[in-house]
Amino acid sequence: MKLSKRSAVLIATGLTGAMALSACGGGSDSEGGGSDSGSGRVVYGEATDWPENLMPLISAGNALSVANIEAQLLPQAYLVQPDLSIKYDDQLLTEEPTSEVAGDTQTVTYKINPDANWSDGEPITADDFEFSWNLQKSSDPAQGGCETLLSTSGYDKITAVEGSDEGKTVTVTLSPYADWKALFSGSNNPVFPKHVMDQGSPEANCAYISTGWPIADGLPQDISGGPWQLKKSNINNGQQIVVLTPNENYWGDKPKLEQLVIQGVGNDPTAQVQALKSGELNVIYPQPQLDLVAQIDALKPNVESDVNFGITFEHLDFNTTDPLLSDVRVRQAFAMAMDRQEIVDQTVGQFSSDAQVLNNRVWLNTQEQYQDNAPEQYKAQDTAGAKALLEQAGYTLGSDGIYAKGSQRLSFKIDTTASNPLREQTINVMIPQLKAAGIEGVFNANPDIFAGPDKPTSLVAGGFQVALFAWVGSPFISNTPPIYQSPEGAGGAVQQNYSRTGTPEIDALLTRWLTETDESAVAATGNEIDAALWEQMATLPLYQKPTYIAYTSTVSGVEDNPTQAGPLWNASTWTVQ
């Protein structure tokens, strides 16, 4: 899932009708999570693009804002923790799921809480797990699949989902799959309610998924299987506001708040800080920028904050279909010319001394599987080596200091998201580094970088040369293969491999990786994949991105989860005073 930020100026300051409220009010619930109703309200400022659709299985719903809204709405078998570990949901399940591998067959068993039910009173059963599998098992309409699905990873390995014990025991049979804990887990792959969504046939269900859930309508029948509920009457799409309220029929620990308000605020961190200071917002989760920490520090002790390193990383993508970048030597020279340590020092290093250069695309610095796989020529800036490689490739240094071959100068537009000072600073640091090696870099804020194929300069359309953006990952490894699988290996589809290249070796490693169930083998193969990616040099990692959360001191229980689970992962436990 990619991270994008919209360019807006300030928050909508009011709520209308029955949704009118102040930013923070009421007292904490002294009886704890098991009480019938919470008290008080918290307003969270959503800085990413306000969603048009809430269906997480399709591109229209592939947004961080959707993940935040739905973080605690639909059931998930496993929950990603702030330390990147994965724990089963002990509200949904009565015990840790079991996995057994015998030959080429893996069997996973889930025990659903006998009291688990949907907000309309219908029980959550194996039928819902089976329905969720059938929705995602294929993208081929000829096989009953749906071509608008973002991914079928893992679900395409399942051969059967069966229920017993009145549907409260779920037995899943599949071919061995390393990422089996990702099944029925995460806000983008939850358990869906069959009795609400089933349209009666694979074709009808595909059409239903493809249309999705337009945000103005919310979830069908206001359905929920988690502690929060989103009712259509609590959505004001024009003002970019949704209000979550406790699911009255939730069987587990109920929210300690009466309302959780999610307000679209745009990506201007100064505006967010001012709204936090004035009390319009209680919690913000801005993309860290150079002066943001100082602004927040000035609000202490009324505001608390925390910097963490999650599993999002900043990187460059080279479009290998570009006439200049199709030569791997040009891509290698580009990478050798860069001083990535200086980039870190002049950007994220300004607000976190823990920031460091990332030398792995698969595992990040804070993950135990991480190892530095970078070849020596990329560990430090090598201007002379870059020049020698370009001359070997037939380029001649021009009088303007830029290499050229015939009429082709090595001049590259470096695209990135608009209104992002940190990324602009990154490119501004890169430009003189590249110039010293005879390569011209030009900053280009591209408002269509994450748009669809109808926008010629978008990543998916391929109308770029070099792009700077971030991948937002998760501890589940199945998110990674679509980024690096070759178009040939993906049946001609680009998927998320915007560099548009790959090798049979990398494809084979990615396939093998997902079949391994031994953790040491998963780690080793992941590093083998990264080593192959260094040879390809179609992408260049820069650094693991920090996350930054700030909240008023009247709110208790806020804990950053620097993964796809996001800042609202435990919002049902928050209290206000």
Side-chain angles (χ1 to χ4, degrees):
M1 183 183 289
K2 52 186 176 286
L3 175 66
S4 59
K5 300 279 187 176
R6 71 187 179 94
S7 176
V9 185
L10 191 57
I11 65 171
T13 57
L15 300 173
T16 58
M19 293 166 61
L21 43 82
S22 62
C24 184
S28 63
D29 174 18
S30 62
E31 297 299 322
S35 64
D36 290 334
S37 61
S39 61
R41 58 189 65 86
V42 168
V43 181
Y44 168 75
E46 178 55 66
T48 65
D49 290 341
W50 191 251
E52 298 177 1
N53 202 290
L54 295 176
M55 168 53 69
L57 300 182
I58 60 175
S59 60
N62 181 28
L64 289 180
S65 50
V66 174
N68 289 335
I69 291 170
E70 297 182 352
Q72 291 190 291
L73 287 183
L74 297 175
Q76 304 173 39
Y78 279 90
L79 305 172
V80 180
Q81 304 299 300
D83 64 358
L84 311 188
S85 64
I86 304 167
K87 295 182 178 179
Y88 79 96
D89 183 357
D90 61 7
Q91 307 281 294
L92 175 67
L93 306 173
T94 59
E95 60 186 60
E96 176 88 36
T98 61
S99 170
E100 297 179 357
V101 178
D104 59 358
T105 301
Q106 182 177 12
T107 303
V108 178
T109 304
Y110 305 88
K111 299 282 189 179
I112 304 174
N113 190 321
D115 297 327
N117 57 268
W118 298 101
S119 54
D120 59 5
E122 286 292 319
I124 298 174
T125 71
D127 287 345
D128 299 307
F129 280 73
E130 182 183 27
F131 176 71
S132 301
W133 161 52
N134 282 322
L135 286 180
Q136 302 173 72
K137 65 184 181 183
S138 174
S139 58
D140 184 356
Q143 298 180 10
C146 187
E147 59 188 353
T148 59
L149 290 172
L150 282 172
S151 174
T152 61
S153 294
Y155 296 95
D156 57 358
K157 296 182 177 294
I158 296 175
T159 56
V161 176
E162 300 170 305
S164 57
D165 300 329
E166 297 183 338
K168 290 297 185 176
T169 295
V170 186
T171 303
V172 178
T173 305
L174 67 162
S175 55
Y177 182 53
D179 229 7
W180 65 270
K181 290 183 180 179
L183 300 171
F184 314 107
S185 300
S187 58
N188 60 332
N189 284 295
V191 178
F192 292 99
K194 177 181 180 179
H195 71 287
V196 170
M197 294 175 57
D198 192 3
Q199 305 299 301
S201 71
E203 295 77 13
N205 283 332
C206 179
Y208 175 82
I209 292 172
S210 301
T211 299
W213 298 332
I215 188 171
D217 296 329
L219 273 63
Q221 300 178 30
D222 295 341
I223 200 68
S224 172
W228 291 109
Q229 186 171 12
L230 175 59
K231 298 181 179 179
K232 182 178 179 179
S233 59
N234 285 336
I235 299 172
N236 186 324
N237 196 39
Q239 292 190 348
Q240 299 193 348
I241 297 166
V242 301
V243 180
L244 302 181
T245 54
N247 172 5
E248 296 178 358
N249 286 325
Y250 187 61
W251 66 94
D253 296 334
K254 292 183 172 59
K256 297 181 178 182
L257 295 172
E258 182 181 1
Q259 294 180 332
L260 174 62
V261 182
I262 301 175
Q263 163 78 70
V265 298
N267 71 346
D268 182 345
T270 299
Q272 294 173 49
V273 171
Q274 291 303 311
L276 193 66
K277 180 179 180 180
S278 69
E280 291 177 273
L281 297 176
N282 299 116
V283 184
I284 61 173
Y285 200 62
Q287 185 171 159
Q289 301 294 347
L290 296 177
D291 62 346
L292 181 65
V293 174
Q295 293 182 52
I296 294 293
D297 284 346
L299 302 181
K300 294 180 177 179
N302 297 322
V303 171
E304 299 182 31
S305 62
D306 193 20
V307 175
N308 290 284
F309 285 84
I311 39 185
T312 297
F313 70 99
E314 202 82 345
H315 74 290
L316 295 173
D317 261 24
F318 300 109
N319 187 346
T320 63
T321 64
D322 180 85
L324 300 176
L325 293 168
S326 61
D327 188 336
V328 67
R329 292 171 295 184
V330 173
R331 305 196 299 269
Q332 291 169 337
F334 193 112
M336 292 165 64
M338 290 177 55
D339 184 342
R340 291 181 295 145
Q341 184 61 58
E342 183 186 15
I343 290 173
V344 169
D345 293 342
Q346 296 299 317
T347 56
V348 289
Q350 297 289 305
F351 49 80
S352 176
S353 59
D354 293 327
Q356 55 187 307
V357 172
L358 177 66
N359 281 324
N360 198 310
R361 300 160 185 80
V362 175
W363 308 117
L364 303 189
N365 302 93
T366 55
Q367 291 181 286
E368 62 181 4
Q369 302 94 332
Y370 176 85
Q371 67 182 36
D372 182 342
N373 295 317
E376 286 301 319
Q377 66 264 35
Y378 304 122
K379 289 185 184 292
Q381 185 178 30
D382 185 0
T383 302
K387 285 186 170 183
L389 191 58
L390 291 174
E391 290 170 7
Q392 177 188 325
Y395 287 88
T396 302
L397 190 65
S399 59
D400 59 356
I402 302 301
Y403 277 100
K405 183 190 294 185
S407 61
Q408 290 187 317
R409 294 174 70 250
L410 286 182
S411 178
F412 301 102
K413 285 197 303 182
I414 305 172
D415 285 15
T416 194
T417 49
S419 304
N420 191 306
L422 194 67
R423 288 182 174 148
E424 184 171 359
Q425 173 71 355
T426 296
I427 295 174
N428 286 339
V429 174
M430 288 170 54
I431 287 173
Q433 295 175 357
L434 295 168
K435 179 67 182 296
I439 300 170
E440 184 175 62
V442 179
F443 170 80
N444 185 48
N446 180 1
D448 294 329
I449 191 169
F450 294 134
D454 58 315
K455 299 292 186 179
T457 62
S458 68
L459 291 172
V460 70
F464 72 99
Q465 291 182 296
V466 183
L468 169 66
F469 63 102
W471 285 119
V472 182
S474 84
F476 302 127
I477 65 172
S478 52
N479 288 351
T480 300
I483 299 174
Y484 303 115
Q485 186 179 34
S486 68
E488 292 79 9
V494 171
Q495 296 194 44
Q496 297 176 78
N497 182 352
Y498 301 129
S499 66
R500 290 164 166 77
T501 192
T503 67
E505 175 200 7
I506 293 173
D507 287 347
L509 285 169
L510 291 168
T511 299
R512 189 184 87 200
W513 193 37
L514 291 180
T515 66
E516 292 167 333
T517 55
D518 178 78
E519 291 185 5
S520 61
V522 170
T525 302
N527 282 305
E528 194 175 349
I529 291 167
D530 181 60
L533 291 170
W534 279 106
E535 294 181 12
Q536 181 177 267
M537 190 47 72
T539 65
L540 178 66
L542 298 179
Y543 53 79
Q544 183 178 7
K545 292 193 69 172
T547 59
Y548 191 72
I549 194 166
Y551 52 97
T552 55
S553 55
T554 56
V555 183
S556 299
V558 177
E559 181 181 5
D560 183 19
N561 190 325
T563 72
Q564 267 186 319
L568 304 184
W569 73 286
N570 71 335
S572 62
T573 67
W574 295 359
T575 60
V576 293
Q577 59 185 9

